[in-house]
Amino acid sequence: HRDLHSFPTRRSSDLYAGAIDFDLSFLGNGNYTARIWQDREYNKVSQSSQSVNAATKLSLTVQKGGGFTMIIE
């Protein structure tokens, strides 16, 4: 389950932002680790991890022209 939230853009200042919210209620009982790789400014990628479970509401910010990969283990 996911909801895509978008924000207005301003063309004159090249400011873009977006976020994706994930409802992880589809996960079974127990705790999991979400490993996330996200594009950052200037062609850099960040990696993070966090403990998640079925009650977790995860929100990711997406850069203009960027994306992310998430693995839940």
Side-chain angles (χ1 to χ4, degrees):
H1 301 96
R2 70 171 174 79
D3 297 317
L4 177 62
H5 297 275
S6 60
F7 301 91
T9 60
R10 283 187 284 165
R11 294 180 186 177
S12 62
S13 66
D14 293 328
L15 175 62
Y16 302 87
I20 296 178
D21 296 331
F22 288 92
D23 175 349
L24 300 179
S25 62
F26 64 89
L27 293 175
N29 291 333
N31 293 312
Y32 301 85
T33 299
R35 294 188 302 149
I36 304 164
W37 292 263
Q38 289 182 269
D39 292 325
R40 295 294 179 203
E41 65 279 344
Y42 309 114
N43 295 323
K44 294 182 181 178
V45 175
S46 67
Q47 181 184 9
S48 63
S49 62
Q50 89 179 61
S51 181
V52 298
N53 59 40
T56 301
K57 308 292 188 228
L58 189 60
S59 182
L60 301 175
T61 301
V62 180
Q63 303 293 325
K64 177 188 175 206
F68 68 92
T69 297
M70 176 171 53
I71 299 172
I72 299 176
E73 304 174 301

